[in-house]
Amino acid sequence: MEQLNWTVECVAFVIMIGLSVVVGLYYGCVQGKQNTISEYLLGGRHMAVLPITMSLITSQLSGISLLGIPSEVYSYGTQYLIFTIDYVICSYIIIYIYLPVFYELQSVSVFEYLELRFDSKIRGFLSIIYAISVILHVPVVIYVPAMAFSYVTGLNLYYFTLIICGICIFYTTIGGLKAVVWTDAIQSFFTAVSIIIVIVLGLIRIGGFNNMITANQESDRIEFFRMDLDPFLRNTFWTSGIGMSFTLISHMAIHASSVQRFVALPTFNEARKSLIFFAFGMGVIKLFSGMTGLLIYATYKDCDPTLANYIDNDKHIVPFYIVDVASKIPGTTGLFIAGVVSAALSSMSAQLNTLSGTIYEDLIVKTMNVKPSDLTASIIIKFTVVVIGVICTFLVYMIEKMNGIIQVSISLNSVTIGAVISVFTLGITFPRANSRGVMYGMLSSIVIMVWIVSGAQIAMYNGELKFVKKNVSIAGCPDNVHFRNHSEFSGLYRMNADVYVNPNVNKIFTLSYMHYNTIGTIIALVVGIVVSLMFPTEQNIDPKLLAPCIRKCMYLKNSTKTKCEANKTEEYQLVSQNTKL
């Protein structure tokens, strides 16, 4: 592997960081319009489709995706990528059920819907869950690219983390949503270019697309229609296709940062276009990331870097590959690092901006029971960004020292996603749902999922639950290499084609991780509906809090009932959205 000229490699990285700072200064100091809540959190509701779409894409991407998906495909094959078809299905569902409701409300916080539909307790509970999940997730988002940067450059991970988080906190605090959106757009350029260059160089290295496909077919890595219904298999068509659909609805339809950006657009039609472009862009990037995994295997099919002791484990496979493949072209490795860090910055800035608004609206204002002036509110929100950013920065240091914390933190998303999806879905689509029902549903889902996820993580940490990876080879490695042993499965029995497990481990803990969101959502929905029907309450529901299709059904039901009672023909019109049912 060739030595890198880091003076050249750092140019792209420094340019990306410099542009992010300049944008923050421009919107915070030159334009000077970030002193109202509407300007700071929603960009004055006059944002354009293109930057919002690019911001949505980059804010939902992270180093976890850019580094994790190639590693997943390299180790376990392409079955995971079948979920990309869910983007089409989920977009249709969101456009006709979720998006019309949230866009019409035009709320700074998506959780305001919960108070209007149920009560302040539900809103506060969900806001706290969201805040905790963000504070746990952001350090992971930063740690993964920091780890890659440290591996590639040899620089101290702590210093890199401090500098990057400091810059992100700065431009997010100063510039508000406009700075976040436009820096996301700039950073998306670096991310996209880095992915394309890596793919092109990889194809050149192995001799073309056909060689990549052939190598991966021979190793059985290319599979999309593994139709086995066993829920304990790690990846199948059903686990990926069904499980990820709930994840996509959570991220695209009800995630606070996504809704914040849709509401920032001036018309519903533009919000709908942005959602469609968002789904398309995410699908393409996920497929390209998967293609990188195929390229990595085709490159090292005769000498696995992990078994050859070139890297410690599979989490370093992507940065190792980038340095190996791109080192001959000065600046390329630096561009890739800039792309990975850009994705992390976009995710962090989006989360900080959205969470600050959520904390202000749902916790501070509600607790103080006052409505500060726009200037005071702006100061509070900016201060909140700084505090949350500092907390997340220091949590990165803790994550680096804790074994297995990345898997635990990612699994925490699954613990809460089912509960969050259920409360919004019941509110929008089930008029008889009440606060008691959704609260019981959320609590049931969270408790059960904590039990399942923690049990699985403990089993994996203790070596009592292991997964079978695709075959690799060391036949083409140099003779002087000291090889690492393959995974040991002693004391475990093979439960199915994918899983080795200790006989003492509860079988529910071996459930495919892709089903976590499915199980969590179903539990919350079932409990929520049953409890709501068992303990009905009188509710005056504003029609705009329900999905358009549900409004029409209620209109038809009420219209028919009135006709029968009056025993006469009468013309009815759709209930006004300002009228209480």
Side-chain angles (χ1 to χ4, degrees):
M1 191 180 299
E2 297 186 8
Q3 294 294 321
L4 299 174
N5 184 343
W6 284 110
T7 302
V8 178
E9 301 300 336
C10 287
V11 170
F13 180 75
V14 171
I15 290 174
M16 182 272 294
I17 295 296
L19 288 174
S20 300
V21 173
V22 168
V23 170
L25 287 172
Y26 174 76
Y27 283 107
C29 301
V30 178
Q31 279 207 344
K33 295 180 179 180
Q34 307 303 315
N35 292 325
T36 67
I37 297 177
S38 177
E39 281 289 342
Y40 188 82
L41 295 178
L42 300 177
R45 293 188 171 93
H46 295 296
M47 301 300 294
V49 172
L50 180 59
I52 285 290
T53 302
M54 297 174 73
S55 177
L56 282 165
I57 293 172
T58 51
S59 65
Q60 292 295 332
L61 281 176
S62 67
I64 297 173
S65 296
L66 297 180
L67 300 180
I69 292 179
S71 178
E72 168 73 19
V73 172
Y74 178 85
S75 299
Y76 298 103
T78 61
Q79 184 60 72
Y80 168 81
L81 296 176
I82 196 65
F83 83 90
T84 52
I85 64 176
D86 289 342
Y87 280 107
V88 177
I89 301 171
C90 291
S91 296
Y92 184 86
I93 294 173
I94 294 168
I95 287 173
Y96 288 98
I97 295 179
Y98 296 94
L99 187 58
V101 176
F102 294 134
Y103 188 85
E104 191 170 355
L105 285 178
Q106 288 288 304
S107 299
V108 171
S109 169
V110 67
F111 300 107
E112 182 179 346
Y113 169 85
L114 300 177
E115 182 173 4
L116 296 173
R117 177 64 178 84
F118 299 113
D119 56 39
S120 59
K121 293 180 181 179
I122 301 297
R123 175 180 181 175
F125 183 70
L126 256 293
S127 298
I128 292 173
I129 289 179
Y130 174 69
I132 293 173
S133 65
V134 168
I135 291 173
L136 290 175
H137 180 66
V138 168
V140 179
V141 168
I142 295 297
Y143 172 72
V144 173
M147 174 194 64
F149 187 89
S150 177
Y151 174 83
V152 171
T153 64
L155 299 178
N156 189 290
L157 181 147
Y158 298 147
Y159 295 151
F160 174 79
T161 299
L162 190 61
I163 293 171
I164 292 302
C165 290
I167 291 172
C168 183
I169 294 169
F170 170 77
Y171 74 73
T172 305
T173 304
I174 297 296
L177 181 66
K178 286 186 177 179
V180 171
V181 167
W182 282 108
T183 51
D184 284 352
I186 293 170
Q187 291 159 3
S188 68
F189 169 79
F190 286 91
T191 302
V193 171
S194 67
I195 293 174
I196 293 172
I197 288 179
V198 166
I199 289 176
V200 171
L201 292 178
L203 289 173
I204 293 173
R205 169 80 173 264
I206 64 173
F209 184 81
N210 289 336
N211 289 342
M212 178 191 74
I213 297 298
T214 300
N216 283 275
Q217 283 180 332
E218 291 174 350
S219 66
D220 295 325
R221 274 174 170 74
I222 298 181
E223 56 178 351
F224 293 105
F225 299 99
R226 188 184 186 188
M227 308 305 288
D228 196 315
L229 294 174
D230 185 355
F232 298 97
L233 290 171
R234 188 177 186 275
N235 283 337
T236 67
F237 179 88
W238 307 110
T239 58
S240 298
I242 296 176
M244 285 301 294
S245 63
F246 291 97
T247 303
L248 296 185
I249 288 177
S250 172
H251 290 169
M252 297 169 63
I254 59 180
H255 195 281
S257 64
S258 297
V259 175
Q260 181 191 27
R261 280 154 179 74
F262 292 136
V263 172
L265 290 164
T267 67
F268 176 77
N269 187 47
E270 291 184 343
R272 182 171 55 188
K273 289 180 181 178
S274 181
L275 172 64
I276 295 172
F277 296 151
F278 169 37
F280 176 78
M282 286 294 292
V284 170
I285 291 176
K286 298 286 187 180
L287 289 174
F288 277 8
S289 296
M291 186 175 176
T292 302
L294 297 178
L295 285 169
I296 294 175
Y297 175 75
T299 303
Y300 303 122
K301 61 185 178 66
D302 295 323
C303 185
D304 177 67
T306 303
L307 293 181
N309 264 323
Y310 294 142
I311 56 178
D312 294 332
N313 50 57
D314 289 347
K315 69 182 181 182
H316 291 142
I317 190 73
V318 178
F320 174 82
Y321 173 74
I322 299 304
V323 174
D324 186 22
V325 172
S327 59
K328 295 181 179 180
I329 303 179
T332 305
T333 302
L335 182 60
F336 176 80
I337 294 297
V340 174
V341 174
S342 292
L345 284 175
S346 297
S347 296
M348 181 177 182
S349 62
Q351 301 280 20
L352 291 180
N353 182 262
T354 305
L355 182 55
S356 65
T358 299
I359 290 176
Y360 169 77
E361 289 284 340
D362 300 345
L363 300 179
I364 295 178
V365 172
K366 288 293 179 182
T367 302
M368 296 170 56
N369 198 27
V370 294
K371 188 70 174 178
S373 66
D374 281 341
L375 180 59
T376 303
S378 177
I379 294 173
I380 293 174
I381 292 172
K382 291 177 181 179
F383 178 74
T384 305
V385 169
V386 175
V387 172
I388 299 170
V390 171
I391 293 173
C392 292
T393 301
F394 280 99
L395 284 177
V396 173
Y397 296 82
M398 296 177 60
I399 289 174
E400 197 273 336
K401 294 181 179 297
M402 297 177 67
N403 294 326
I405 191 64
I406 291 181
Q407 292 86 344
V408 172
S409 296
I410 294 175
S411 297
L412 284 176
N413 287 328
S414 300
V415 169
T416 59
I417 279 178
V420 175
I421 291 177
S422 69
V423 66
F424 283 104
T425 302
L426 286 173
I428 291 173
T429 63
F430 189 59
R432 297 183 65 179
N434 54 43
S435 58
R436 175 184 287 190
V438 298
M439 179 63 81
Y440 282 23
M442 287 189 295
L443 291 175
S444 300
S445 174
I446 291 173
V447 169
I448 293 175
M449 294 314 300
V450 165
W451 172 60
I452 294 175
V453 172
S454 60
Q457 292 297 321
I458 292 172
M460 286 187 282
Y461 180 80
N462 293 332
E464 298 175 332
L465 176 61
K466 295 183 179 181
F467 302 101
V468 180
K469 296 182 179 181
K470 296 292 185 181
N471 292 328
V472 293
S473 173
I474 54 175
C477 293
D479 295 334
N480 60 348
V481 171
H482 297 285
F483 298 110
R484 188 191 307 267
N485 292 330
H486 284 273
S487 297
E488 293 289 338
F489 297 110
S490 58
L492 309 179
Y493 79 95
R494 190 161 193 170
M495 191 179 80
N496 56 43
D498 293 351
V499 178
Y500 278 90
V501 64
N502 187 295
N504 296 324
V505 173
N506 192 321
K507 190 171 183 179
I508 192 65
F509 298 152
T510 65
L511 182 74
S512 171
Y513 72 102
M514 300 293 285
H515 275 320
Y516 288 166
N517 294 333
T518 307
I519 298 299
T521 303
I522 291 175
I523 290 172
L525 288 175
V526 171
V527 173
I529 291 173
V530 171
V531 173
S532 294
L533 293 176
M534 290 177 61
F535 302 97
T537 58
E538 291 291 333
Q539 300 182 88
N540 292 321
I541 305 174
D542 193 325
K544 69 181 180 182
L545 302 177
L546 302 172
C549 57
I550 303 300
R551 300 176 199 172
K552 293 179 181 179
C553 291
M554 293 185 66
Y555 153 68
L556 291 174
K557 179 180 178 180
N558 292 336
S559 174
T560 303
K561 181 178 179 180
T562 304
K563 287 180 181 180
C564 293
E565 291 176 351
N567 195 24
K568 63 180 181 180
T569 303
E570 189 173 334
E571 183 178 353
Y572 291 89
Q573 296 180 349
L574 187 62
V575 179
S576 169
Q577 292 183 358
N578 294 320
T579 303
K580 302 292 184 182
L581 287 178

